Amino acid sequence: MRINLVTGCFAAILAASLPTAANAVTVALPADAAFLKASQILVGLGAMPTFRDKELLVIKSDPVPVKLTPDQADCGRMFGIPYLKDKRTKTAATYQVIIKPLDPSSSDVSVKVTLDGYMDVNEGAPFFIEKTRDKNNVLTCSSKGWLEPTFVEALQAP
């Protein structure tokens, strides 16, 4: 008689199901006009366009500081509490806009927002307490589809 003993542990990591963001839209603007308007919207948001290619019709921005809530983004949790509820958590959004001409009077615009998160453990610590070194957390954040539609609405506005 043969007995097999199997031991171990199992942990299922489930990806959070995020709503799909309306991040691609067809606008009634020629590609050049959409490119200019998208650049102006980014500057209005405080995001400095660092890469602009008129031939490829691609715009990328520097990270712009933005205060997000747990309803707008997911940066993980500590002890079941979202990092975004902690006042020491800082987030920044980087925009990437790609424009594809459809015809002379319209173009397809897609927006991708990459979020960076950071938690400064030492922020707000009294001066007499020794600062904790190398305890800051870099967070992996994902958008829940709030920033993208805001940009798309601004692009579609007359």
Side-chain angles (χ1 to χ4, degrees):
M1 180 163 119
R2 184 175 189 188
I3 298 176
N4 290 332
L5 179 62
V6 179
T7 62
C9 65
F10 173 77
I13 300 174
L14 301 175
S17 60
L18 301 176
T20 56
N23 59 356
V25 67
T26 301
V27 293
L29 291 171
D32 290 339
F35 183 83
L36 181 62
K37 188 169 184 180
S39 297
Q40 292 171 345
I41 292 169
L42 287 174
V43 170
L45 292 171
M48 179 61 75
T50 55
F51 179 80
R52 290 175 29 140
D53 191 333
K54 271 195 155 182
E55 291 180 14
L56 296 175
L57 297 173
V58 174
I59 306 169
K60 292 182 182 178
S61 75
D62 265 348
V64 58
V66 60
K67 183 66 178 162
L68 297 171
T69 65
D71 295 333
Q72 298 165 340
D74 182 13
C75 290
R77 298 172 177 265
M78 179 173 50
F79 305 117
I81 301 169
Y83 277 111
L84 290 174
K85 285 192 175 184
D86 194 320
K87 66 179 182 175
R88 299 173 295 176
T89 301
K90 311 289 187 247
T91 51
T94 304
Y95 289 85
Q96 179 178 347
V97 182
I98 300 172
I99 301 165
K100 296 178 184 171
L102 296 177
D103 57 49
S105 64
S106 66
S107 53
D108 191 23
V109 180
S110 65
V111 181
K112 180 182 178 188
V113 177
T114 305
L115 298 176
D116 299 315
Y118 177 80
M119 182 173 174
D120 186 3
V121 176
N122 294 321
E123 182 179 320
F127 69 91
F128 55 85
I129 295 179
E130 185 179 339
K131 304 290 185 186
T132 308
R133 293 185 185 169
D134 301 327
K135 294 294 182 185
N136 298 328
N137 291 340
V138 176
L139 306 173
T140 303
C141 299
S142 60
S143 176
K144 289 187 176 180
W146 182 77
L147 292 170
E148 297 89 344
T150 305
F151 184 89
V152 168
E153 287 172 14
L155 189 64
Q156 289 178 324

mmCIF file of all heavy atoms in Angstrom, residues 4 18 21 28 30 42 54 69 85 88 91-92 102 110 132 135 140-142 145 156-157:
data_model
loop_
_atom_site.group_PDB
_atom_site.id
_atom_site.type_symbol
_atom_site.label_atom_id
_atom_site.label_comp_id
_atom_site.label_asym_id
_atom_site.label_seq_id
_atom_site.Cartn_x
_atom_site.Cartn_y
_atom_site.Cartn_z
ATOM 1 N N ASN A 4 0.597 8.707 -0.357
ATOM 2 C CA ASN A 4 1.249 9.958 -0.736
ATOM 3 C C ASN A 4 0.755 11.063 0.183
ATOM 4 O O ASN A 4 -0.445 11.276 0.322
ATOM 5 C CB ASN A 4 0.930 10.342 -2.179
ATOM 6 C CG ASN A 4 1.581 9.415 -3.175
ATOM 7 O OD1 ASN A 4 2.625 8.842 -2.884
ATOM 8 N ND2 ASN A 4 0.953 9.256 -4.327
ATOM 9 N N LEU A 18 -10.622 45.997 -12.745
ATOM 10 C CA LEU A 18 -10.796 47.432 -12.883
ATOM 11 C C LEU A 18 -11.739 47.713 -14.038
ATOM 12 O O LEU A 18 -11.730 47.010 -15.040
ATOM 13 C CB LEU A 18 -9.439 48.103 -13.143
ATOM 14 C CG LEU A 18 -8.389 47.889 -12.057
ATOM 15 C CD1 LEU A 18 -7.069 48.512 -12.489
ATOM 16 C CD2 LEU A 18 -8.837 48.483 -10.756
ATOM 17 N N ALA A 21 -11.490 51.805 -19.019
ATOM 18 C CA ALA A 21 -11.548 53.258 -19.155
ATOM 19 C C ALA A 21 -11.867 53.630 -20.597
ATOM 20 O O ALA A 21 -11.397 53.009 -21.532
ATOM 21 C CB ALA A 21 -10.222 53.872 -18.737
ATOM 22 N N ALA A 28 -13.776 65.148 -33.946
ATOM 23 C CA ALA A 28 -14.022 65.812 -35.225
ATOM 24 C C ALA A 28 -13.001 66.929 -35.429
ATOM 25 O O ALA A 28 -13.350 68.094 -35.628
ATOM 26 C CB ALA A 28 -15.441 66.350 -35.262
ATOM 27 N N PRO A 30 -8.986 67.608 -37.363
ATOM 28 C CA PRO A 30 -7.867 67.032 -38.108
ATOM 29 C C PRO A 30 -6.742 66.659 -37.140
ATOM 30 O O PRO A 30 -6.679 67.166 -36.024
ATOM 31 C CB PRO A 30 -7.429 68.155 -39.046
ATOM 32 C CG PRO A 30 -8.445 69.223 -38.947
ATOM 33 C CD PRO A 30 -9.285 68.967 -37.751
ATOM 34 N N LEU A 42 -2.797 69.291 -21.852
ATOM 35 C CA LEU A 42 -1.755 68.823 -20.933
ATOM 36 C C LEU A 42 -1.127 69.982 -20.171
ATOM 37 O O LEU A 42 -0.918 69.895 -18.962
ATOM 38 C CB LEU A 42 -0.684 68.035 -21.682
ATOM 39 C CG LEU A 42 -1.087 66.640 -22.142
ATOM 40 C CD1 LEU A 42 0.011 66.042 -23.004
ATOM 41 C CD2 LEU A 42 -1.370 65.750 -20.950
ATOM 42 N N LYS A 54 5.424 65.555 -34.074
ATOM 43 C CA LYS A 54 4.322 65.892 -34.990
ATOM 44 C C LYS A 54 4.170 64.889 -36.116
ATOM 45 O O LYS A 54 3.089 64.738 -36.666
ATOM 46 C CB LYS A 54 4.515 67.292 -35.556
ATOM 47 C CG LYS A 54 3.894 68.352 -34.729
ATOM 48 C CD LYS A 54 3.811 69.639 -35.506
ATOM 49 C CE LYS A 54 2.680 70.458 -34.923
ATOM 50 N NZ LYS A 54 2.479 71.696 -35.611
ATOM 51 N N THR A 69 -7.952 59.598 -4.851
ATOM 52 C CA THR A 69 -8.661 58.882 -3.795
ATOM 53 C C THR A 69 -8.688 57.394 -4.157
ATOM 54 O O THR A 69 -8.440 57.024 -5.308
ATOM 55 C CB THR A 69 -10.101 59.405 -3.659
ATOM 56 O OG1 THR A 69 -10.814 59.104 -4.864
ATOM 57 C CG2 THR A 69 -10.126 60.899 -3.396
ATOM 58 N N LYS A 85 -5.379 56.566 1.290
ATOM 59 C CA LYS A 85 -6.016 57.249 2.406
ATOM 60 C C LYS A 85 -4.996 57.862 3.354
ATOM 61 O O LYS A 85 -5.337 58.696 4.178
ATOM 62 C CB LYS A 85 -6.912 56.276 3.174
ATOM 63 C CG LYS A 85 -8.190 55.957 2.453
ATOM 64 C CD LYS A 85 -9.155 55.235 3.344
ATOM 65 C CE LYS A 85 -10.470 55.040 2.642
ATOM 66 N NZ LYS A 85 -11.468 54.421 3.508
ATOM 67 N N ARG A 88 0.563 60.679 3.785
ATOM 68 C CA ARG A 88 1.972 60.634 3.391
ATOM 69 C C ARG A 88 2.158 60.077 1.985
ATOM 70 O O ARG A 88 3.254 60.110 1.445
ATOM 71 C CB ARG A 88 2.765 59.776 4.383
ATOM 72 C CG ARG A 88 2.734 60.328 5.803
ATOM 73 C CD ARG A 88 3.376 59.358 6.757
ATOM 74 N NE ARG A 88 2.595 58.126 6.834
ATOM 75 C CZ ARG A 88 2.946 57.052 7.530
ATOM 76 N NH1 ARG A 88 4.070 57.051 8.211
ATOM 77 N NH2 ARG A 88 2.183 55.991 7.556
ATOM 78 N N THR A 91 1.127 60.858 -5.261
ATOM 79 C CA THR A 91 0.946 60.216 -6.565
ATOM 80 C C THR A 91 1.219 61.222 -7.676
ATOM 81 O O THR A 91 1.052 62.429 -7.497
ATOM 82 C CB THR A 91 -0.481 59.657 -6.729
ATOM 83 O OG1 THR A 91 -1.429 60.678 -6.422
ATOM 84 C CG2 THR A 91 -0.717 58.461 -5.831
ATOM 85 N N ALA A 92 1.632 60.692 -8.811
ATOM 86 C CA ALA A 92 1.889 61.517 -9.989
ATOM 87 C C ALA A 92 1.392 60.762 -11.219
ATOM 88 O O ALA A 92 1.480 59.537 -11.282
ATOM 89 C CB ALA A 92 3.374 61.830 -10.111
ATOM 90 N N LEU A 102 -7.878 59.722 -39.225
ATOM 91 C CA LEU A 102 -8.832 58.836 -39.893
ATOM 92 C C LEU A 102 -9.148 59.356 -41.294
ATOM 93 O O LEU A 102 -9.162 58.596 -42.253
ATOM 94 C CB LEU A 102 -10.105 58.717 -39.070
ATOM 95 C CG LEU A 102 -9.949 58.059 -37.699
ATOM 96 C CD1 LEU A 102 -11.270 58.076 -36.950
ATOM 97 C CD2 LEU A 102 -9.444 56.631 -37.840
ATOM 98 N N SER A 110 -6.043 58.297 -28.499
ATOM 99 C CA SER A 110 -6.025 57.392 -27.352
ATOM 100 C C SER A 110 -5.133 57.986 -26.274
ATOM 101 O O SER A 110 -4.108 58.604 -26.560
ATOM 102 C CB SER A 110 -5.535 55.997 -27.751
ATOM 103 O OG SER A 110 -4.198 56.045 -28.165
ATOM 104 N N THR A 132 13.675 57.155 9.954
ATOM 105 C CA THR A 132 13.857 55.796 9.475
ATOM 106 C C THR A 132 14.413 55.852 8.070
ATOM 107 O O THR A 132 13.778 56.413 7.178
ATOM 108 C CB THR A 132 12.503 55.053 9.473
ATOM 109 O OG1 THR A 132 11.912 55.197 10.751
ATOM 110 C CG2 THR A 132 12.688 53.597 9.152
ATOM 111 N N LYS A 135 13.048 53.313 4.411
ATOM 112 C CA LYS A 135 11.764 52.679 4.712
ATOM 113 C C LYS A 135 10.637 53.262 3.858
ATOM 114 O O LYS A 135 9.482 52.966 4.079
ATOM 115 C CB LYS A 135 11.411 52.854 6.198
ATOM 116 C CG LYS A 135 12.345 52.140 7.130
ATOM 117 C CD LYS A 135 12.239 50.649 6.971
ATOM 118 C CE LYS A 135 13.159 49.951 7.959
ATOM 119 N NZ LYS A 135 13.193 48.532 7.789
ATOM 120 N N THR A 140 3.019 50.589 -6.570
ATOM 121 C CA THR A 140 2.566 50.268 -7.918
ATOM 122 C C THR A 140 1.095 50.643 -7.996
ATOM 123 O O THR A 140 0.266 50.018 -7.344
ATOM 124 C CB THR A 140 2.762 48.779 -8.225
ATOM 125 O OG1 THR A 140 4.132 48.453 -8.044
ATOM 126 C CG2 THR A 140 2.340 48.463 -9.635
ATOM 127 N N CYS A 141 0.800 51.660 -8.757
ATOM 128 C CA CYS A 141 -0.569 52.172 -8.830
ATOM 129 C C CYS A 141 -1.189 51.874 -10.188
ATOM 130 O O CYS A 141 -0.495 51.830 -11.203
ATOM 131 C CB CYS A 141 -0.576 53.682 -8.605
ATOM 132 S SG CYS A 141 0.061 54.191 -7.009
ATOM 133 N N SER A 142 -2.486 51.684 -10.182
ATOM 134 C CA SER A 142 -3.227 51.501 -11.432
ATOM 135 C C SER A 142 -4.446 52.407 -11.409
ATOM 136 O O SER A 142 -5.086 52.576 -10.373
ATOM 137 C CB SER A 142 -3.639 50.039 -11.614
ATOM 138 O OG SER A 142 -4.464 49.630 -10.546
ATOM 139 N N GLY A 145 -9.719 54.485 -14.131
ATOM 140 C CA GLY A 145 -10.457 55.092 -15.232
ATOM 141 C C GLY A 145 -11.070 56.430 -14.904
ATOM 142 O O GLY A 145 -12.128 56.763 -15.429
ATOM 143 N N GLN A 156 -12.861 66.719 -26.309
ATOM 144 C CA GLN A 156 -14.084 66.770 -27.110
ATOM 145 C C GLN A 156 -14.835 68.082 -26.952
ATOM 146 O O GLN A 156 -15.686 68.417 -27.775
ATOM 147 C CB GLN A 156 -15.012 65.613 -26.752
ATOM 148 C CG GLN A 156 -14.497 64.285 -27.226
ATOM 149 C CD GLN A 156 -15.412 63.138 -26.831
ATOM 150 O OE1 GLN A 156 -16.000 63.137 -25.764
ATOM 151 N NE2 GLN A 156 -15.530 62.155 -27.705
ATOM 152 N N ALA A 157 -14.538 68.839 -25.893
ATOM 153 C CA ALA A 157 -15.230 70.118 -25.672
ATOM 154 C C ALA A 157 -14.866 71.100 -26.793
ATOM 155 O O ALA A 157 -13.744 71.100 -27.276
ATOM 156 C CB ALA A 157 -14.848 70.691 -24.321
#
